[in-house]
Amino acid sequence: MTNRKIEYWVVPPEADAEFAAQLVNGYKKCSDQLTRFFCVLSLGRIGGPANRSAMLTLYADANKSIERPWLAIALGVAARQRLLADGVVDAEVGGMLLRDMEAIDRDQAAAAHALGIGLCGYRDAARPLADLMRTHEGFDTLAGYFAVALGMLHYAEVADELVDLMQRAKRRPFVLQQCAVGLGLIGDTRTVPTLLQMLDESDS
């Protein structure tokens, strides 16, 4: 199975190339926005060098607030497949998403870029992500997805902070949930007893 995945990344089947071309065309020409975004997610799921190149071209021309977040995740999905297949981190995509994420101020688009980075496995972004999580702790969507991205990167250095944030997020269910997910991805054994203690102490 592993060898098959590696070969799939190096030489995508010809049948996929035909479908990929239709997906690119669908993204460019479809009038329904959600369909367009599912097209690029499908490109990411198919993966391969040709689709990666196509998505990078689409990303360069995309608007920052609506289209790029979906392309960031799609690029992350493609990078994840390569990472799982042969252990190669797509540092080019990871670095690009990091630079663009740092340029976004208090916008939910930054959350999508963070998830794309996490999918890439680009650990050079772990420290900046942790800093951004602290800076935007008051914004539930950003803090939550930054926590998940750090979990994807297995950044154990931030585990204590995630436990503390989770305990302080009793009335912020989204942040609490995503901190628990991040800790679970890191493999921190305190997640379950901390949640059980919070349930025991809760009157809700």
Side-chain angles (χ1 to χ4, degrees), residues 111 114-115 118 129-130 132-134 139-155 158-159 161-163 165-166 174-186:
L115 292 177
L129 271 170
L132 285 168
M133 185 181 70
R134 298 180 195 108
F139 298 86
D140 286 12
T141 300
L142 293 180
Y145 283 127
F146 287 154
V148 172
L150 288 163
M152 289 180 179
L153 297 175
H154 305 291
Y155 190 57
V158 80
E161 291 185 56
L162 291 181
V163 171
L165 179 55
M166 184 169 68
F174 182 80
V175 176
L176 190 155
Q177 174 186 343
Q178 303 311 321
C179 285
V181 170
L183 285 163
L185 290 168
I186 290 171

Side-chain angles (χ1 to χ4, degrees), residues 13-80:
E14 288 300 320
D16 285 347
E18 177 185 348
F19 295 123
Q22 294 181 28
L23 289 169
V24 172
N25 187 61
Y27 173 82
K28 291 179 177 179
K29 296 184 177 180
C30 185
S31 59
D32 181 74
Q33 201 166 57
L34 190 57
T35 300
R36 295 178 64 230
F37 298 150
F38 285 157
C39 283
V40 291
L41 288 178
S42 297
L43 281 176
R45 183 65 183 87
I46 293 172
N51 289 339
R52 175 185 180 276
S53 178
M55 287 187 291
L56 284 171
T57 299
L58 294 174
Y59 182 92
D61 296 331
N63 67 62
K64 295 180 180 180
S65 60
I66 299 175
E67 294 172 341
R68 279 194 177 181
W70 287 89
L71 282 156
I73 293 176
L75 283 162
V77 169
R80 190 71 173 183

Side-chain angles (χ1 to χ4, degrees), residues 89-157:
V89 174
D90 194 332
E92 180 186 357
V93 169
M96 177 188 72
L97 295 180
L98 174 60
R99 289 190 298 272
D100 290 345
M101 182 188 68
E102 290 178 320
I104 300 170
D105 184 33
R106 297 184 182 181
D107 192 304
Q108 292 190 10
H113 283 68
L115 292 177
I117 290 167
L119 288 165
C120 285
Y122 185 61
R123 280 186 58 87
D124 286 356
R127 190 183 296 273
L129 271 170
D131 291 340
L132 285 168
M133 185 181 70
R134 298 180 195 108
T135 301
H136 299 293
E137 182 182 324
F139 298 86
D140 286 12
T141 300
L142 293 180
Y145 283 127
F146 287 154
V148 172
L150 288 163
M152 289 180 179
L153 297 175
H154 305 291
Y155 190 57
E157 291 88 337

